[in-house]
Amino acid sequence: MTRFSDLALSPKILEAVEAAGYETPTPIQSGAIPPALERRDVLGIAQTGTGKTASFTLPMIHMLASGRARARMPRSLVLCPTRELAAQVAEDFDTYSRNIKLSKALLIGGVSFKEQDALIDRGVDVLIATPGRLLDHFERGKLLLTGIEIMVVDEADRMLDMGFIPDIERIFSLTPFTRQTLFFSATMAPEIERITNLFLSNPARVEVARPATASETIAQEVVRLKPSRRDRAAKEKRGLLRAIIEREGEGCRNAIVFCNRKTDVDIVAKSLQKHGFDAAPIHGDLDQPQRTRTLDKFRDGDLKFLVASDVAARGLDIPRVSHVLNFDVPSNAEDYVHRIGRTGRAGREGKAVMISLPADEKLLGAIEKLIAKDIPRVECPMQAATRGSETKGSEQPKRTRVRKKPQTSSLEPVARRSGRTVGMGDHLPSFIAMSFKERAAV
Ligand code: AMP
């Protein structure tokens, strides 16, 4: 087995890697670092969760530390599809370069140009940027890319999804053709293949298994919901989401709730808050300071439920996410893999629960095909409870039970355990015993 010390990285970098707690390189690291250090182009086919960030930041730091800076010209560039991912790469860069003096600038939207201009003017070794913001700087005449020696493209498949490929091509053409390119993508769509053929020169191709096939530590489940009426589906899904959270109990320490649409991210976050859960939304329409604040709170354990869209959560590295709750079945099977990869990281246990409507069966099939595994169906906690109360032949009419004043005191411990105030979810036993019509009135 390869060790980090076999990888010809400088001792200062090895110390930083050790301080980060890594013992052995992951397959993408042991595959990509040696050719990168030999100054070869690298085509890494790997997705988030495989350790790919270190597979390009470590050789970059090594090469920047051993080279010499040309005044005021950035020497390296990392392009990321989203602000969050760029911020994450910047953080990792700081971790691994802690013993080496290198300067960096993070160029992402939502931060003032003035601050970023000042950094660029001072001269930086590394630019970490989203494509749009980088080109904005270039067009304002504030940035020259002719000193770029190493260029990294991270998550190219996501760049493609987001329509960034023309920007990437333009950026490639603004950098010297002598640059070294480290290019990462989870998949090799024809369009990705085309630009790698165009801009990479005899790359070392390193391909690693999807983490989804390796993520044996993630327990997966699908809860099917048959809505009483089509126009009630969203509301009933929100009720089911709360029922799932309650069912998971104390084990649900923190969770990312994924929705397919931004509008639903807001609605679900508001609904959870209304019912006493500690939740906040994150999606591309929120301003950057707000997104950063929410993420920091979640990362620090001060926020329990992060309600997110796929783009906003892409590539986030939050080590201790206990649950991924899929409010919607993603329309793209690959997104399922990315979503559940937020939990069960670095060998920890995680749980992924997905709500599915009858109309989602086809999508579900595509996901199961992709992960080459059947996801167990579990009974809808609401419907199970409803049936339970019926078979026991409860003499008390359901409506009466619902209307009974809630026994707040007996429910408080549940709420306290979940770290929140008593809310609707605490009255779940009554709620789940209601008919769908009654539920709708709550
Ligand atoms: P990435 O694929 O870059 O998003 O990394 C996924 C996770 O693996 C992050 O939490 C990293 O901190 C962690 N990681 C990266 N390299 C290693 C390693 N060699 N050993 C253990 N964990 C690692």
Side-chain angles (χ1 to χ4, degrees):
M1 193 175 23
T2 317
R3 289 166 304 174
F4 273 108
S5 53
D6 299 331
L7 292 178
L9 290 162
S10 79
K12 284 183 178 172
I13 297 178
L14 291 177
E15 273 167 37
V17 166
E18 202 184 324
Y22 306 159
E23 285 163 10
T24 45
T26 63
I28 188 74
Q29 291 163 1
S30 49
I33 294 175
L37 288 173
E38 286 167 15
R39 306 258 165 185
R40 281 189 65 188
D41 282 359
V42 172
L43 172 57
I45 305 166
Q47 54 189 192
T48 181
T50 54
K52 69 175 165 55
T53 315
S55 78
F56 60 79
T57 35
L58 296 177
M60 246 175 88
I61 294 167
H62 179 98
M63 293 185 285
L64 291 171
S66 50
R68 242 181 334 128
R70 250 174 287 167
R72 294 164 63 125
M73 290 270 244
R75 294 192 287 156
S76 62
L77 167 65
V78 182
L79 290 172
C80 301
T82 64
R83 301 165 180 185
E84 281 76 18
L85 188 61
Q88 188 92 59
V89 170
E91 217 171 90
D92 286 2
F93 186 85
D94 286 343
T95 304
Y96 306 135
S97 65
R98 53 187 269 172
N99 304 321
I100 295 167
K101 203 168 169 291
L102 289 173
S103 55
K104 66 160 200 308
L106 179 61
L107 307 184
I108 53 177
V111 180
S112 83
F113 277 103
K114 219 169 136 203
E115 265 172 63
Q116 298 176 347
D117 285 346
L119 279 173
I120 296 168
D121 284 347
R122 244 181 280 150
V124 288
D125 297 299
V126 189
L127 291 175
I128 301 169
T130 47
R133 188 59 166 221
L134 184 88
L135 286 173
D136 284 348
H137 276 281
F138 180 80
E139 254 128 43
R140 292 166 73 245
K142 294 283 178 187
L143 193 59
L144 263 185
L145 298 174
T146 46
I148 297 292
E149 296 160 27
I150 309 165
M151 171 161 155
V152 177
V153 179
D154 194 14
E155 306 212 349
D157 52 324
R158 190 45 58 140
M159 305 258 198
L160 175 66
D161 290 349
M162 296 171 77
F164 288 157
I165 296 298
D167 287 350
I168 298 296
E169 292 197 49
R170 168 123 196 267
I171 295 166
F172 264 122
S173 69
L174 297 173
T175 61
F177 78 95
T178 48
R179 68 167 190 268
Q180 177 184 19
T181 309
L182 311 175
F183 190 102
F184 289 82
S185 185
T187 56
M188 285 304 286
E191 184 65 357
I192 303 280
E193 192 91 49
R194 182 185 68 79
I195 57 168
T196 56
N197 289 338
L198 210 56
F199 296 106
L200 271 63
S201 152
N202 185 29
R205 188 182 166 112
V206 186
E207 188 162 357
V208 301
R210 310 177 158 283
T213 54
S215 63
E216 297 305 329
T217 56
I218 305 172
Q220 302 173 54
E221 254 174 25
V222 167
V223 182
R224 282 187 177 138
L225 175 70
K226 212 165 167 211
S228 56
R229 265 180 19 206
R230 196 195 283 207
D231 61 352
R232 299 234 60 85
K235 196 174 171 99
E236 288 173 11
K237 275 172 98 172
R238 295 196 292 275
L240 176 55
L241 175 68
R242 298 194 294 275
I244 291 169
I245 294 171
E246 292 294 346
R247 186 200 62 179
E248 292 300 309
E250 282 182 60
C252 193
R253 290 179 305 281
N254 59 354
I256 304 182
V257 180
F258 279 101
C259 303
N260 288 359
R261 284 166 295 271
K262 283 186 239 176
T263 45
D264 285 335
V265 168
D266 278 330
I267 294 169
V268 170
K270 276 210 189 90
S271 156
L272 284 172
Q273 286 163 2
K274 198 176 103 197
H275 289 93
F277 293 90
D278 180 22
I282 180 164
H283 57 67
D285 288 352
L286 298 171
D287 65 30
Q288 186 60 26
Q290 213 173 344
R291 284 158 76 172
T292 309
R293 250 194 330 269
T294 302
L295 265 182
D296 287 348
K297 271 176 77 179
F298 187 67
R299 202 176 265 127
D300 296 344
D302 295 333
L303 172 72
K304 260 187 97 174
F305 298 97
L306 181 71
V307 188
S309 62
D310 289 287
V311 168
R314 173 81 177 177
L316 292 184
D317 180 21
I318 298 160
R320 286 183 183 77
V321 175
S322 69
H323 286 66
V324 165
L325 305 174
N326 284 305
F327 184 77
D328 299 306
V329 176
S331 38
N332 175 354
E334 293 267 337
D335 282 337
Y336 179 77
V337 176
H338 290 301
R339 288 181 182 188
I340 71 164
R342 310 294 96 220
T343 182
R345 286 170 95 80
R348 291 188 192 94
E349 305 229 315
K351 187 156 183 187
V353 185
M354 179 156 69
I355 299 176
S356 154
L357 299 174
D360 294 325
E361 279 306 309
K362 230 176 151 177
L363 296 173
L364 208 50
I367 290 169
E368 292 183 318
K369 194 166 165 221
L370 179 73
I371 63 173
K373 191 170 159 175
D374 291 338
I375 309 173
R377 294 349 185 221
V378 299
E379 209 168 352
C380 169
M382 300 198 306
Q383 283 160 352
T386 310
R387 206 178 23 264
S389 68
E390 280 161 4
T391 49
K392 276 181 204 139
S394 163
E395 284 175 352
Q396 204 170 27
K398 275 179 250 160
R399 184 181 296 276
T400 321
R401 287 178 57 187
V402 172
R403 296 287 146 87
K404 250 170 62 175
K405 212 165 168 34
Q407 303 272 307
T408 315
S409 55
S410 65
L411 296 163
E412 268 170 350
V414 177
R416 259 201 310 279
R417 272 202 311 277
S418 344
R420 59 183 179 76
T421 51
V422 176
M424 167 72 207
D426 303 306
H427 311 306
L428 200 75
S430 321
F431 181 72
I432 56 187
M434 290 185 229
S435 69
F436 281 110
K437 198 163 164 212
E438 286 167 329
R439 265 185 238 152
V442 175

